[in-house]
Amino acid sequence: MRVKAFASLLALLLLAIAAPDNARAESAAGSYRFSFEDGATKTLDFDAVKRADGSTVGQMYLTDEATLVLRDVDGAGDTSAKYAGYNIKATFDNMVVNKNQAVMSGVITDSSVRELIGKRVLLTVEDNGDNTRVPDKVTWGIYNPVTRDWVATDAERKDDDGASLKWRATDAERKDDEGIEMPRDESTTTASFPLDSYDFVQPETESGDIRVAP
């Protein structure tokens, strides 16, 4: 009986030792409601966790009452469509946390505007604690996915399959250089911009709470 009791106690101690590692996982979450001079309300809900293997799981939901104007950026820049408000749902695939700031990247999986589905999104937040003097901060961006559907070939050789292979660019003078895989991934990710380069929005009204755990 004592052996069983000791085994149970040992199991509880092991769980208690392992718990802090899970509790220290990088995470960001929050709900934020804000508006600018136009009075249109924006509501953001998000959560993201970085697992021990380096992968990120999480989602964000954004609703915006402001008019969304889509433009033909590949043409003359003319207005292609207007929407009286919109919403998006995105699934995160990466996150970087530095002190009280976090940037999350992902892809829009659902939206009231069909043209936004499949685009990349970056959400950057700053947790300034529970105070009214320095509010939490947020900014976001939506980006077109990069598609390279052409292959460089020698026009004089019909048997040339083109530069379709992948390779690693390295410094030949440094044996310890792991190099960079080429062609490089040009998708918009958390590595696309330095964390301190983001310009947070300055709303007229705001409420909610953002939490970042490094």
Side-chain angles (χ1 to χ4, degrees), residues 91-183:
T91 299
F92 293 133
D93 51 33
N94 202 1
M95 176 174 66
V96 172
V97 175
N98 182 22
K99 298 180 181 178
N100 67 328
Q101 294 183 337
V103 56
M104 293 143 278
S105 64
V107 61
I108 297 176
T109 57
D110 194 15
S111 175
S112 59
V113 179
R114 184 178 297 274
E115 292 90 335
L116 296 181
I117 298 175
K119 293 183 182 292
R120 299 285 299 173
V121 64
L122 286 178
L123 173 65
T124 308
V125 298
E126 181 177 283
D127 176 9
N128 289 309
D130 298 326
N131 67 78
T132 57
R133 185 176 61 84
V134 182
D136 296 333
K137 297 179 181 180
V138 63
T139 190
W140 75 98
I142 297 175
Y143 306 84
N144 288 323
V146 177
T147 302
R148 298 299 182 197
D149 53 5
W150 55 271
V151 177
T153 62
D154 185 343
E156 298 179 356
R157 294 187 56 181
K158 295 182 178 180
D159 60 338
D160 182 16
D161 292 331
S164 57
L165 299 177
K166 290 184 178 293
W167 69 95
R168 298 193 73 83
T170 61
D171 185 343
E173 297 180 356
R174 293 188 54 181
K175 294 182 179 180
D176 61 338
D177 183 17
E178 297 181 357
I180 301 174
E181 185 174 302
M182 302 291 290

Side-chain angles (χ1 to χ4, degrees), residues 48-100:
V49 175
K50 195 153 194 174
R51 293 171 169 171
D53 62 2
S55 63
T56 298
V57 293
Q59 292 182 327
M60 67 169 282
Y61 303 88
L62 174 69
T63 61
D64 190 349
E65 295 178 353
T67 299
L68 173 67
V69 179
L70 297 182
R71 299 187 181 278
D72 179 17
V73 295
D74 295 325
D78 298 330
T79 300
S80 58
K82 285 186 177 181
Y83 298 89
Y86 70 99
N87 62 74
I88 63 171
K89 173 184 176 182
T91 299
F92 293 133
D93 51 33
N94 202 1
M95 176 174 66
V96 172
V97 175
N98 182 22
K99 298 180 181 178
N100 67 328

